[in-house]
Amino acid sequence: MKNIKNFKNVTFLLICLFFAALNFNFILKPLNLVTGGTQGVAILINHLLKIKPSTIVFIINIIAIITSYFLLTKDNTYSALIATFAYPLFIKITSFIPFFTLPENFNLLWSIIAGIICGITGGFIYYLGFSSGGISIVNLLVNKFTHIKISTANFIVNGIIIILGYFHFGFLKAIYSIIVIAISSIIINLILKKKRNT
């Protein structure tokens, strides 16, 4: 019974990661929305150095998972292991889907949709007890060595990434990125609150 439950959880995790990759390639990357996290770093580096986002995400995730293995708990490492390999793979696979060009005058709507998708996929990843790896591991490391709260570390690290996005893509893109983060954070909190109440 436990194996069946674990299989269902992993399957659902993979579905969430796949839709997160679609969201990345369909909305976040085309609109240059640097929303923090590994995907935000990938968009920045891709724009500056033309390295494929899937490659950037994979490198960051591998460095993070190795660091986690030596400096954090096994639970932290194992919870991020699947996403470390699956998410960049899904980004690479879905990058070949011929998406249509998003009209500029609907950027606010696209940002809201991206925030909803980020919130649902991220919320259920945490709900199932998994981690997305990458920058989330960086937040844990900051917490361990500075004793700053994880939520504060998350705010600081992602804040730095968003500021870099602001300097590179401009004020309006930064506002849209903040909208994505705000909506996704609300949805993630609602999903996790439901878990705490069950």
Side-chain angles (χ1 to χ4, degrees), residues 24 29-34 39-53 56 165 168-169 173:
F24 176 85
K29 183 176 176 290
L31 296 184
N32 292 319
L33 299 182
V34 180
Q39 58 193 17
V41 176
I43 290 171
L44 275 171
I45 295 177
N46 171 255
H47 202 267
L48 290 168
L49 303 177
K50 307 303 177 187
I51 302 172
K52 290 180 179 179
I56 300 164
H168 194 70
F169 295 114
K173 296 290 186 180

Side-chain angles (χ1 to χ4, degrees), residues 33-92:
L33 299 182
V34 180
T35 56
T38 309
Q39 58 193 17
V41 176
I43 290 171
L44 275 171
I45 295 177
N46 171 255
H47 202 267
L48 290 168
L49 303 177
K50 307 303 177 187
I51 302 172
K52 290 180 179 179
S54 57
T55 303
I56 300 164
V57 172
F58 181 69
I59 291 171
I60 294 172
N61 282 356
I62 286 295
I63 293 171
I65 204 78
I66 292 172
T67 306
S68 174
Y69 180 80
F70 288 106
L71 299 178
L72 297 173
T73 66
K74 288 183 179 179
D75 286 342
N76 292 138
T77 305
Y78 294 153
S79 67
L81 200 56
I82 296 174
T84 294
F85 296 96
Y87 186 53
L89 176 62
F90 288 152
I91 289 177
K92 185 175 182 64

Side-chain angles (χ1 to χ4, degrees), residues 11 72-74 99 107 120 124 145 160 169 191 193-194 198:
T11 301
L72 297 173
T73 66
K74 288 183 179 179
F99 297 121
N107 282 358
I120 293 172
F124 279 109
F145 292 106
I160 292 169
F169 295 114
I191 291 172
K193 184 178 180 182
K194 183 180 178 182
T198 54

Side-chain angles (χ1 to χ4, degrees), residues 122-155:
F124 279 109
I125 287 171
Y126 294 130
Y127 184 92
L128 294 168
F130 294 104
S131 166
S132 55
I135 299 300
S136 63
I137 289 176
V138 174
N139 296 334
L140 292 171
L141 289 168
V142 172
N143 168 255
K144 179 177 180 179
F145 292 106
T146 66
H147 303 294
I148 295 173
K149 290 181 181 179
I150 292 175
S151 57
T152 305
N154 181 62
F155 179 80

